[in-house]
Amino acid sequence: MEHTTGEERLLDAADTLFYERGIQAVGMDAIRTASGVSLKRTYQLYPSKEHLVEAVLRRRDRAVRDGIEAYTSARATPTERVLAVFDYLHDWFGQPDYRGCAFINSFAELGGSSPNVVEIVRTHKRAFADHLAALVAAAGRPPQLAAQLTLLANGAMVTAAIAGSAEPAREARAAASRLLDAEPPA
Amino acid sequence: MEHTTGEERLLDAADTLFYERGIQAVGMDAIRTASGVSLKRTYQLYPSKEHLVEAVLRRRDRAVRDGIEAYTSARATPTERVLAVFDYLHDWFGQPDYRGCAFINSFAELGGSSPNVVEIVRTHKRAFADHLAALVAAAGRPPQLAAQLTLLANGAMVTAAIAGSAEPAREARAAASRLLDAEPPA
DNA sequence: ACATCGAGAGAACGATCGTTCTCTGTCTGG
DNA sequence: CCAGACAGAGAACGATCGTTCTCTCGATGT
């Protein structure tokens, strides 16, 4: 872990702090202390805090997409791959520092003032919905089912965060399973 | 509208600004300008910004609960009352300044630092889930269905906000209807 | 060996925040 | 008619924010 680049340590520290405390609550000095990267270097990598925020969100977007992709593609059948999304959520919600979806949280905090953040969040959620739609299509189910499962997943993210429980992932999975049963493959 | 009390105008202005821009992004001076209530009077009504935030959230909690109650109780049959929740959401999402659920947004912004806000948000969401559970029980359906419909509702709130569309309310209603069909009354 | 470049540490800057204080005027009770 | 309590307007205060600047030092090329 010692030979990571300064930019990686910077993005790691910023990501962790933003997620734990919210974006506006974290000062550049706290990021500097946590990352060990000087303010000078930080500002030559990213010309402003907003640029740094966007870089953090874009990096997390890629990481989450890759994580879900790996998780779902490990299952054998198309229907199992659809339901695996909710197992992924359960694993995620169980992490002790889980505090909701960073994109939903960023939208909630900055959606009213930062169009760039809104665009990144929108792109992330659209990609998530598209991935689910591809899995649903591969399972031979109609496209409107994908939108419904997306709502269950996003709802589980916020409900689990607020309630401080991983149980919503199981409830969402059960609902998804019922909806799949109600829409048998053609 | 002219003879409203100062406290009402204060809470109205704070609620609107917090909802539009987020809580941390709104200064006390902006609230003063929008409400016409002096800082002196504001601080003698609420000894700090955090107290004001909590009062705003608690007032909105009551208003939302009453609104949903009125909306659902106007329907004739128990099953219609369950589905009316999603019609309520569709009306809400269609408002031009819709920017998500204020409680979800507040949790996202302050959940990491304000236990009082967390408690208010948790109470609000528990009350929402409890109301849905009562409607589901009256419709003769099993309790786990209520949790699933709660996830659909919360998911629709965030998805509609991020996508800037009221459509998720319709999708959630369709999913709810299917889940109700899959669980016929005893 | 020496000049030069770049980076780190952190002070400094201007803006803005939440909060308090000052000043001024306006009511009220006797 | 006057004394005194109170409220409004907004300046002032200390803290903190994002950002920049200064100073110092170590590495590097010739």
Side-chain angles (χ1 to χ4, degrees):
Chain A
M1 285 282 188
E2 290 293 345
H3 37 62
T4 59
T5 150
E7 186 166 10
E8 279 176 277
R9 283 182 292 126
L10 176 63
L11 293 172
D12 283 344
D15 189 70
T16 301
L17 289 171
F18 288 159
Y19 183 68
E20 282 175 358
R21 310 185 199 166
I23 292 169
Q24 316 208 58
V26 174
M28 295 300 283
D29 227 56
I31 296 173
R32 178 209 131 112
T33 300
S35 69
V37 175
S38 70
L39 285 175
K40 187 174 197 172
R41 185 139 163 60
T42 296
Y43 273 93
Q44 78 190 27
L45 286 167
Y46 303 100
S48 75
K49 185 183 182 181
E50 178 153 7
H51 284 82
L52 174 61
V53 169
E54 292 166 21
V56 165
L57 288 177
R58 271 192 266 265
R59 195 180 66 136
R60 189 181 265 256
D61 172 43
R62 286 192 298 274
V64 171
R65 286 201 216 190
D66 292 350
I68 297 178
E69 172 63 32
Y71 208 100
T72 55
S73 65
R75 304 299 173 97
T77 73
T79 300
E80 280 174 352
R81 281 196 277 276
V82 171
L83 291 174
V85 170
F86 298 94
D87 297 331
Y88 173 90
L89 294 183
H90 189 260
D91 279 12
W92 181 24
F93 298 170
Q95 290 176 9
D97 58 349
Y98 177 70
R99 255 210 53 219
C101 167
F103 298 91
I104 292 172
N105 292 354
S106 299
F107 180 87
E109 190 174 348
L110 304 172
S113 59
S114 171
N116 292 333
V117 168
V118 169
E119 179 54 29
I120 292 170
V121 172
R122 212 166 258 173
T123 299
H124 174 80
K125 285 302 181 189
R126 199 181 314 120
F128 177 75
D130 287 350
H131 184 215
L132 210 35
L135 297 178
V136 164
R141 261 68 169 212
Q144 67 267 22
L145 180 59
Q148 298 174 0
L149 300 188
T150 302
L151 299 184
L152 282 170
N154 283 330
M157 291 176 207
V158 316
T159 307
I162 291 172
S165 158
E167 199 47 31
R170 298 269 107 114
E171 298 163 354
R173 195 196 138 105
S177 182
R178 283 232 182 246
L179 291 172
L180 283 165
D181 289 348
E183 295 275 14
Chain B
M1 285 282 187
E2 290 295 344
H3 38 62
T4 59
T5 155
E7 187 166 8
E8 280 176 276
R9 283 182 292 126
L10 176 62
L11 293 172
D12 283 343
D15 189 71
T16 301
L17 289 172
F18 289 159
Y19 183 68
E20 283 176 355
R21 309 185 199 167
I23 293 169
Q24 316 208 56
V26 174
M28 296 300 282
D29 227 58
I31 296 172
R32 176 210 132 113
T33 301
S35 68
V37 175
S38 71
L39 285 175
K40 188 174 196 170
R41 186 140 161 62
T42 296
Y43 274 93
Q44 78 189 28
L45 286 167
Y46 303 100
S48 73
K49 185 183 181 181
E50 178 152 8
H51 284 81
L52 174 60
V53 168
E54 292 166 21
V56 165
L57 288 178
R58 271 191 266 266
R59 195 180 66 137
R60 188 180 266 257
D61 173 43
R62 286 192 298 273
V64 170
R65 287 200 216 190
D66 292 350
I68 296 178
E69 172 64 31
Y71 208 101
T72 55
S73 65
R75 303 300 172 97
T77 74
T79 300
E80 279 173 353
R81 281 197 276 276
V82 172
L83 291 175
V85 170
F86 298 93
D87 297 331
Y88 173 89
L89 294 182
H90 189 261
D91 279 12
W92 182 22
F93 299 169
Q95 290 175 10
D97 57 349
Y98 178 71
R99 254 210 53 214
C101 167
F103 298 91
I104 293 173
N105 292 353
S106 299
F107 179 87
E109 191 175 348
L110 304 173
S113 59
S114 172
N116 292 332
V117 167
V118 169
E119 179 54 29
I120 293 170
V121 172
R122 212 166 258 172
T123 299
H124 174 79
K125 285 302 180 189
R126 200 181 312 120
F128 177 75
D130 287 350
H131 183 215
L132 210 35
L135 297 179
V136 164
R141 260 67 168 212
Q144 69 265 23
L145 180 58
Q148 298 174 0
L149 300 189
T150 302
L151 299 183
L152 283 170
N154 283 329
M157 290 176 208
V158 315
T159 307
I162 291 173
S165 158
E167 200 48 30
R170 297 270 108 112
E171 298 161 356
R173 194 197 139 106
S177 183
R178 284 234 181 244
L179 291 171
L180 283 164
D181 289 348
E183 297 274 13

